[in-house]
Amino acid sequence: MRILVVEDDAGIASGLRTNLQQRGYAVDVCDGVASAWSALRAERFDAVLLDLGLADGDGGELLRRLRLSPDAAGASATALPDPSTPVLIVTARDQVHQRIAGLDLGADDYLPKPFDVDELDARLRALLRRAAGRSSPTIRHGDIELDPATRVVRQGGSAVEMSPREFSVLLVLLEARGRVLSRQQIEERLYSWDAAIESNAVEVHIHHLRRKLGSACIQTMRGVGYFMPQEVSP
């Protein structure tokens, strides 16, 4: 899953990037309101970690602007951010009235600094789970079960060994099951701006997943992309 960190403290931003990348997230960092707004217009993010005290403005105004943004469906000439993007405020403002104000602005969650990274990760997983319309912490599809918390995949009750990137590709496809995703859409969910991407990386990961889980688990729509069917063929 791809996360945008909006934080103007370089040390905190670097620490968040490192810790979240170690947990399997693709992470991009912006240090202000203007750069974050440009990023949200240009890219799709699964969630935003938002500091409130930014050098060029208040993060709350960025959140307000995001939530008031019109639905980008059908927009072509002008890129628009997705107003439903989950936002977790991460800030030193820890008074009760400040938390209430942040949530009332449209934040999905609020975590005061300092915080434990494991708690941050758990809150992110909960945000992503709700955004995907799931109540269960695990994802089941036929005989495949994926646990985002432990990053373990089981098939028929047996653990299936996965590389971090294979796990991420499978998670993206499972969350979108029934919908076809192009290679570019998959790459956008997996790689941050500074990541080096080999031209056939997605194809290689899908080849490995088919070998491990069965060739029918991921299907190809020629010339369009890849998908996991809503129902698994017997």
Side-chain angles (χ1 to χ4, degrees):
M1 300 289 107
R2 192 171 179 188
I3 308 298
L4 177 65
V5 174
V6 187
E7 170 63 65
D8 64 351
D9 184 304
I12 294 175
S14 177
L16 282 172
R17 184 203 294 269
T18 298
N19 278 286
L20 291 173
Q21 286 177 337
Q22 289 174 346
R23 287 165 167 77
Y25 297 98
V27 183
D28 293 303
V29 175
C30 290
D31 62 1
V33 173
S35 58
W37 182 252
S38 296
L40 288 165
R41 291 183 60 183
E43 306 280 353
R44 179 189 183 279
F45 295 93
D46 294 289
V48 178
L49 299 185
L50 177 64
D51 187 19
L52 294 179
L54 300 169
D56 65 344
D58 191 285
E61 289 306 309
L62 175 67
L63 175 57
R64 187 196 307 275
R65 190 177 180 187
L66 174 64
R67 292 298 184 239
L68 292 176
S69 178
D71 192 332
S76 56
T78 303
L80 295 172
D82 181 355
S84 66
T85 303
V87 175
L88 169 55
I89 290 177
V90 180
T91 180
R93 302 177 189 176
D94 62 353
Q95 298 298 308
V96 172
H97 73 276
Q98 293 171 321
R99 300 186 197 191
I100 293 171
L103 293 168
D104 284 344
L105 272 176
D108 297 272
D109 201 355
Y110 195 108
L111 183 62
K113 299 174 183 176
F115 53 83
D116 186 277
V117 178
D118 288 336
E119 180 182 0
L120 173 66
D121 189 15
R123 288 175 180 266
L124 266 178
R125 291 196 303 271
L127 280 186
L128 296 170
R129 185 168 66 242
R130 291 197 297 270
R134 290 189 289 110
S135 57
S136 171
T138 58
I139 304 173
R140 292 180 174 84
H141 184 63
D143 64 349
I144 299 171
E145 180 179 346
L146 181 148
D147 186 341
T150 61
R151 297 186 68 81
V152 170
V153 176
R154 297 183 183 277
Q155 185 174 40
S158 300
V160 180
E161 185 176 347
M162 299 250 163
S163 72
R165 195 64 75 191
E166 289 166 3
F167 181 94
S168 296
V169 172
L170 180 61
L171 176 57
V172 168
L173 290 171
L174 279 172
E175 292 282 22
R177 56 185 175 268
R179 293 189 290 116
V180 181
L181 298 180
S182 68
R183 185 183 72 180
Q184 180 179 353
Q185 287 175 313
I186 296 172
E187 288 175 346
E188 288 173 350
R189 300 287 298 280
L190 298 180
Y191 298 98
S192 55
W193 295 319
D194 56 357
I197 310 173
E198 294 187 14
S199 60
N200 66 337
V202 170
E203 287 84 351
V204 170
H205 297 316
I206 288 176
H207 171 75
H208 291 163
L209 287 170
R210 284 171 169 162
R211 188 181 63 200
K212 294 177 179 181
L213 300 173
S215 58
C217 73
I218 300 173
Q219 298 184 13
T220 301
M221 183 172 288
R222 190 172 300 278
V224 181
Y226 304 95
F227 69 100
M228 297 188 77
Q230 287 282 9
E231 300 294 335
V232 179
S233 301

